[in-house]
Amino acid sequence: MTGTRERIVAAAAALLREGGREAVSTRAVSAAAGVQAPTIYRAFGDKQGLLDAVALDGFQAYLSSKTGLPPSDDPVADLRRGWDLHVGFGLANPALYSLIYGEPRPGAANPAAEAAARVLAGQVRRIAEAGRLRVSEEHAAHLVHSAGCGMTLTQIGLPEDRRDTTLSHLAREAVIAAITTDATPTAAPGAAGAAITLRAALPGTDALTPREGALMVEWLDRIAHQ
């Protein structure tokens, strides 16, 4: 079944690239993959399950080829690189990107979007651990995600000759300025900044019991959002 599943995903991905989401019908995928429709339903549950599998497969291929680079000594520079890779992925794979981000489903996150969110959360966590995060990790990740997706979808919707990478760079720098501090701050970050940094470091210590750790997280989040 593994080989059959991979063949079905590959067939659906090819249809998606060539004709967009509308081209990925159960009948078309069955014909392209050389299987019967019931085989698709057994493997993926329904068409949405198949589309989620196509999105995740494509995104994982992107991660392994583009974001497998080792982190540098500057987590903010790594976030900047991550933004550019994200936008580049969307412009190179517009149908796949739109499948992942173009139709939000409240309460039912796309597996590929969840994988991307974990990557972004890791990048933001490194900035917090370095003491350079101006806002909470959650707020920073949401802002980067919202701005990056909005910029990418906007560029996808434009004719190629009207796309301007300068706009993406401006948006990127505005977001980075809003969530980070200078590499060598001239003054202490204050209570909120210290709380954000300590909050990021908590998973690395076992000095607290689970109950104490949960209480500490609650206190630090309260300070960080004051």
Side-chain angles (χ1 to χ4, degrees):
M1 177 61 76
T2 300
T4 301
R5 181 185 175 89
E6 292 174 349
R7 191 166 72 252
I8 293 171
V9 169
L15 290 168
L16 180 70
R17 286 193 300 271
E18 295 166 4
R21 179 169 181 160
E22 295 74 15
V24 189
S25 67
T26 303
R27 178 179 297 180
V29 174
S30 297
V35 300
Q36 298 297 318
T39 302
I40 295 177
Y41 293 123
R42 284 196 298 271
F44 304 98
D46 55 19
K47 181 180 175 181
Q48 188 58 58
L50 171 58
L51 291 172
D52 286 346
V54 170
L56 183 59
D57 183 74
F59 189 76
Q60 287 178 333
Y62 155 71
L63 286 180
S64 63
S65 64
K66 296 296 185 181
T67 61
L69 301 174
S72 71
D73 293 334
D74 186 346
V76 176
D78 290 345
L79 178 63
R80 183 176 283 112
R81 180 179 64 180
W83 173 292
D84 291 342
L85 288 170
H86 181 96
V87 175
F89 166 72
L91 295 182
N93 305 274
L96 182 59
Y97 190 90
S98 297
L99 180 62
I100 298 173
Y101 295 110
E103 297 182 9
R105 289 174 283 156
N110 186 296
E114 291 181 330
R118 288 192 292 271
V119 173
L120 175 58
Q123 293 175 328
V124 171
R125 171 61 57 87
R126 290 188 62 235
I127 296 173
E129 291 173 340
R132 295 185 58 190
L133 200 60
R134 189 186 300 276
V135 298
S136 71
E137 292 180 51
E138 181 181 11
H139 284 179
H142 282 172
L143 181 57
V144 174
H145 168 74
S146 300
C149 287
M151 175 55 63
T152 306
L153 289 170
T154 297
Q155 294 286 347
I156 287 174
L158 294 174
E160 290 192 27
D161 61 352
R162 291 184 54 195
R163 293 175 183 170
D164 184 357
T165 56
T166 302
L167 295 178
S168 178
H169 296 165
L170 288 172
R172 181 195 66 197
E173 295 308 308
V175 170
I176 289 177
I179 68 172
T180 66
T181 62
D182 294 337
T184 54
T186 57
I196 292 168
T197 303
L198 181 55
R199 171 72 168 80
L202 276 184
T205 179
D206 57 3
L208 303 176
T209 67
R211 185 174 180 180
E212 290 170 338
L215 186 58
M216 179 66 77
V217 167
E218 180 182 346
W219 288 341
L220 293 175
D221 283 346
R222 191 183 305 170
I223 295 171
H225 288 89
Q226 68 179 358

